[in-house]
Amino acid sequence: MMRYIKLVNFEINRFSKIYLSLLLITLVSQFAGVFIVTKSLLNDARDIMKEERLSEAAYITNYGGIDFNHIANSLLFVGPIALSAVALIFYIFLIWYRDWFGKNTFIYRLLMLPTSRLSIYLSKATSIFLMVLGLIAFQIIILPMENALFNSNVPQALLSEMSISTITIANPILSLIIPSTFTQFLISYGIGLMIMSILFTAIMFERSFRLKGIIMGLLYCGIAAVLFLAPVLMEIGNFYFYPNELFGLMLAIGIILTGLSVWLGAWLLKNRVTV
């Protein structure tokens, strides 16, 4: 267990500089977005009131108040979230291929460690999942600060205050990464874990069989996607499932695919990937 924890810590430390950069970019960009977008909205509102000779109350009646949705939908706000997502998806591949194609082919030493190769597999998966949770936690922490800053910069007469829960529900990206219920959290991040395990297995196919492995990995990803979406595809035809039945089927398939992918990936790493 201690070796597994050390491996997780090692993997996180290897990505720490890029990870901290992502956190810093998110912090700076989103707070800059609060200032820049708020100033732009207020300037637009004042120009409209001046041109149409409207009072603040009349402006609110005609155009509505200024709320945090304008910030949450801006590029400065959602851009860092998208960048972090892309970086972590890319790292799913980098966390393996860096060991093979780095200067010292570190994978040789890693696979020769006196520990189960399953621990190596799980440590890489765990480190990525923990970094995802860390980014989400960071967003949850700074979001109330951004909302408070926005509220303080907009005149009360023009402000439409929003709670944090309302903001996350109203914004599609925030509602995806910050689910409103624990069940939605399990669904969203359970699917994420499933996708990561499938990609890990595809990588193991490629590392085990090289060119043939690329084809095998792509086929595995395609078959897994079809199996997971099978209940939805069946509904397009003549089959009908109640919502609870559809959820139960997809949950069961997702758990099976995740378990199968972890087992198969770990088996390939142990028996087919050699040093």
Side-chain angles (χ1 to χ4, degrees), residues 67-268:
D67 58 50
F68 194 82
N69 265 337
H70 295 91
I71 307 295
N73 291 321
S74 67
L75 181 61
L76 286 170
F77 189 92
V78 300
I81 298 175
L83 175 64
S84 298
V86 170
L88 287 174
I89 292 171
F90 177 72
Y91 193 61
I92 289 175
F93 296 91
L94 182 64
I95 200 171
W96 287 106
Y97 286 111
R98 175 181 55 188
D99 293 338
W100 264 281
F101 299 113
K103 291 181 179 179
N104 300 315
T105 53
F106 184 74
I107 192 64
Y108 296 148
R109 285 187 290 166
L110 193 61
L111 295 179
M112 293 295 288
L113 288 174
T115 186
S116 168
R117 290 191 180 184
L118 177 61
S119 296
I120 297 172
Y121 181 99
L122 293 179
S123 68
K124 291 181 182 292
T126 302
S127 63
I128 292 175
F129 189 64
L130 288 177
M131 285 186 280
V132 170
L133 294 182
L135 285 169
I136 302 309
F138 184 71
Q139 183 65 74
I140 292 173
I141 291 170
I142 65 174
L143 186 58
M145 301 178 190
E146 295 163 348
N147 190 37
L149 180 62
F150 171 78
N151 291 341
S152 66
N153 285 337
V154 177
Q156 196 66 33
L158 298 176
L159 177 65
S160 293
E161 288 194 46
M162 299 177 69
S163 66
I164 299 301
S165 60
T166 303
I167 292 170
T168 55
I169 292 171
N171 185 273
I173 295 178
L174 288 178
S175 65
L176 179 63
I177 67 172
I178 309 176
S180 58
T181 66
F182 184 66
T183 300
Q184 290 177 339
F185 171 83
L186 291 177
I187 294 171
S188 296
Y189 290 95
I191 292 173
L193 277 173
M194 179 189 70
I195 293 172
M196 180 175 65
S197 66
I198 291 170
L199 291 177
F200 269 23
T201 302
I203 293 169
M204 289 301 100
F205 271 121
E206 188 278 328
R207 288 290 83 198
S208 299
F209 303 102
R210 298 302 190 266
L211 185 58
K212 291 180 180 179
I214 295 175
I215 299 173
M216 295 169 70
L218 290 174
L219 284 174
Y220 183 78
C221 290
I223 292 171
V226 171
L227 287 175
F228 182 69
L229 296 174
V232 177
L233 298 174
M234 290 170 67
E235 279 210 323
I236 297 176
N238 297 324
F239 290 88
Y240 175 78
F241 297 106
Y242 290 106
N244 288 340
E245 293 175 336
L246 182 62
F247 172 75
L249 277 172
M250 297 189 73
L251 177 63
I253 294 171
I255 292 173
I256 292 170
L257 283 175
T258 302
L260 176 64
S261 297
V262 171
W263 174 81
L264 182 55
W267 184 87
L268 288 169

Side-chain angles (χ1 to χ4, degrees), residues 37-47 66 153-155 158:
V37 177
T38 300
K39 183 178 181 181
S40 176
L41 291 170
L42 290 175
N43 287 338
D44 291 343
R46 293 190 184 102
D47 290 342
I66 299 175
N153 285 337
V154 177
L158 298 176

